[in-house]
């Protein structure tokens, strides 16, 4: 295929690998290269034909890349890399620190406008597809409540917190939505749910030799901000089980809008995801949005955007005529 969209990846962790795999499933795209802070010789891609470059060389590629997909972490990588890349490329990222999105938007909007690029921030599933469904729910059913449930999913932040407890050798944490709470929401009861009602937390922990299991369990379940506000169960397992059964990164969840219309009729809108791999799915969303960003840029649009600003037809490789015929 000629005129394929030329894509670059910055940062090669779980998400970067997922983007590489998603581009391989997109015949209208071509991966130009991966940019990393590590020594390029030490970064092994899935496709060894794709070159790896030092991140210091990105400026050499402004004419070679149509859209740069940033795959760094939201905590410290994107706040630094986003504003810089906004001055050089059209960009897509997955910035997911919800509370800081307005400031982050401003920090990439100005350089994107000055350099004449489009910057789509906070794509992915939450923020991203879940945000769109929260918006649709509110717009269509103004009298109602929106509920977001996450899981069953492996939470990286909570797993790190478990591993920092003295006496813990290894471990993972799953966030699990409460079935009872979901059923109450689906039934249109509009329940008021506390944090503890919506999710439970389950930890699988490998102890250091000689560690006191009860002390470890207590340290985990009483940890403020992470576990104290939830019903948390701790399971102790051996290292082989941790490796064999807890290596994948599943996730997912539900956005449910429950409302009333007319003469007290219940209306429930529900969107759900069940993901075998969180980073691979998130990456697939980023790649579809890279297509939209390329199109917006070609139409002369500039500045920061979120998923709220992008028409859904722009995500598809199909033409508007094809979409009207096949999917309406
Ligand atoms: P990783 O920790 O796997 O990767 C983050 C960065 O760390 C990479 O870009 C890479 O940069 C560096 N890195 C990766 N592996 C190594 C290594 N072995 N040694 C040294 N450095 C390494 O994070 P994820 O890819 O899992 O997640 C990235 C972000 O995605 C998350 O922080 C989150 O913000 C976002 N996310 C968003 C979602 C959404 O729905 N919006 C959902 C899921 C995730 P470099 O190559 O430059 O060294």
């Amino acid at each position: 295929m000629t005129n394929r969209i030329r894509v670059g990846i910055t940062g090669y962790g779980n998400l970067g690998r997922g983007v590489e795999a998603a581009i391989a499933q997109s015949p209208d795209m071509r991966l130009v290269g991966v940019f990393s802070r590590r020594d390029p010789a030490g970064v092994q891609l899935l496709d060894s034909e794709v070159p790896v470059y030092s991140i210091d060389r990105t400026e050499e590629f402004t004419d070679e890349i149509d859209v740069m997909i940033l795959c760094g972490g939201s905590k410290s990588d994107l706040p630094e890399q986003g504003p810089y890349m906004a001055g050089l490329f059209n960009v897509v990222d997955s910035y997911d620190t919800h509370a800081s999105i307005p400031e982050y938007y401003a920090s990439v909007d100005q350089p994107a406008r000055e350099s004449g690029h489009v910057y789509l921030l906070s794509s992915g599933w939450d923020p991203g597809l879940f945000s769109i469904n929260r918006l649709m729910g509110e717009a269509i059913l103004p009298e109602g409540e929106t509920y977001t449930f996450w899981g069953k999913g492996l939470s990286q932040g909570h797993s790190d917190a478990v591993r920092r407890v003295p006496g813990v050798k290894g471990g993972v944490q799953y966030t699990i939505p409460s079935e009872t709470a979901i059923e109450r929401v689906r039934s249109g009861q509009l329940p008021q749910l506390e944090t503890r009602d919506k999710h439970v937390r389950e930890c699988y922990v490998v102890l250091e030799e000689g560690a006191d299991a009860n002390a470890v369990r207590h340290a985990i379940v009483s940890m403020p901000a992470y576990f104290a506000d939830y019903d948390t169960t701790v399971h102790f397992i051996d290292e082989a089980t941790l490796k064999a059964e807890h290596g994948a990164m599943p996730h997912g969840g539900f956005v449910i809008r429950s409302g009333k219309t007319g003469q007290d009729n219940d209306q429930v809108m529900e969107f759900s995801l069940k993901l075998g791999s969180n980073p691979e799915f998130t990456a697939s969303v980023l790649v579809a949005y890279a297509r939209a960003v390329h199109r917006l840029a070609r139409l002369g649009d500039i500045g920061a955007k979120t998923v709220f600003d992008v028409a859904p037809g722009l995500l598809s490789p199909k033409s508007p005529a094809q979409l009207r015929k096949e999917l309406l």
Side-chain angles (χ1 to χ4, degrees):
M1 184 185 279
T2 51
N3 294 330
R4 286 190 294 174
I5 303 168
R6 301 166 303 169
V7 182
I9 294 174
T10 296
Y12 196 72
N14 300 312
L15 196 56
R17 274 193 296 280
V19 169
E20 186 190 2
I23 291 172
Q25 293 182 339
S26 307
D28 61 333
M29 296 192 179
R30 178 169 72 83
L31 180 57
V32 173
V34 168
F35 298 84
S36 175
R37 289 163 297 187
R38 281 165 285 160
D39 177 359
V43 181
Q44 297 303 316
L45 305 194
L46 301 172
D47 177 355
S48 55
E49 301 293 304
V50 176
V52 184
Y53 303 102
S54 161
I55 198 167
D56 300 332
R57 293 187 55 194
T58 43
E59 290 183 27
E60 296 170 30
F61 288 83
T62 50
D63 291 336
E64 320 287 326
I65 289 175
D66 297 312
V67 186
M68 183 68 93
I69 304 184
L70 301 189
C71 298
S74 294
K75 195 157 180 270
S76 42
D77 299 341
L78 295 178
E80 191 184 305
Q81 293 171 356
Y84 172 71
M85 293 291 180
L88 300 174
F89 301 101
N90 299 309
V91 176
V92 175
D93 79 25
S94 70
Y95 185 77
D96 70 353
T97 311
H98 292 254
S100 309
I101 287 174
E103 293 80 29
Y104 184 65
Y105 178 99
S107 79
V108 297
D109 185 48
Q110 193 190 347
R113 284 185 186 284
E114 283 170 6
S115 66
H117 291 105
V118 175
Y119 194 115
L120 185 102
L121 59 137
S122 300
S123 175
W125 61 278
D126 196 359
L129 302 185
F130 273 20
S131 320
I132 293 172
N133 283 276
R134 286 189 282 261
L135 181 153
M136 299 266 268
E138 276 190 20
I140 294 166
L141 298 173
E143 291 191 12
E145 286 285 339
T146 303
Y147 301 84
T148 303
F149 294 91
W150 296 275
K152 180 184 179 177
L154 187 121
S155 159
Q156 211 61 58
H158 286 77
S159 298
D160 286 345
V162 166
R163 290 192 287 263
R164 282 198 300 271
V165 170
V168 172
K169 191 172 182 192
V172 291
Q173 192 271 176
Y174 298 98
T175 308
I176 302 171
S178 156
E179 281 300 327
T180 317
I182 291 176
E183 280 319 310
R184 286 180 66 201
V185 170
R186 282 183 179 144
S187 72
Q189 290 176 29
L190 298 175
Q192 291 296 320
L193 298 172
E194 302 296 327
T195 305
R196 189 180 290 278
D197 302 327
K198 289 177 69 184
H199 298 93
V200 296
R201 298 196 179 278
E202 215 161 74
C203 306
Y204 290 83
V205 172
V206 180
L207 290 172
E208 304 257 19
E209 214 170 292
D212 176 347
N214 279 331
V216 166
R217 177 181 284 113
H218 179 73
I220 293 173
V221 302
S222 61
M223 195 186 297
Y226 284 89
F227 295 103
D229 295 335
Y230 296 86
D231 289 334
T232 302
T233 314
V234 180
H235 305 278
F236 294 105
I237 55 173
D238 59 32
E239 213 160 0
T241 310
L242 180 71
K243 216 169 158 203
E245 294 176 16
H246 301 281
M249 282 186 262
H251 220 309
F254 309 80
V255 174
I256 307 176
R257 178 74 177 177
S258 176
K260 292 192 185 295
T261 57
Q263 303 299 314
D264 209 24
N265 286 309
D266 289 338
Q267 315 278 16
V268 178
M269 296 166 68
E270 179 167 338
F271 177 73
S272 83
L273 292 174
K274 193 162 186 286
L275 310 177
S277 161
N278 177 4
E280 286 182 14
F281 182 80
T282 304
S284 300
V285 180
L286 298 187
V287 166
Y289 274 97
R291 184 179 293 119
V293 160
H294 179 60
R295 287 173 172 162
L296 288 174
R298 287 180 79 169
L299 291 168
D301 209 339
I302 56 166
K305 315 272 169 209
T306 71
V307 293
F308 297 149
D309 306 312
V310 178
L314 296 176
L315 302 174
S316 171
K318 294 180 176 174
S319 70
Q322 254 180 311
L323 290 175
R324 283 192 292 275
K325 193 167 169 218
E326 295 173 18
L327 299 184
L328 268 183

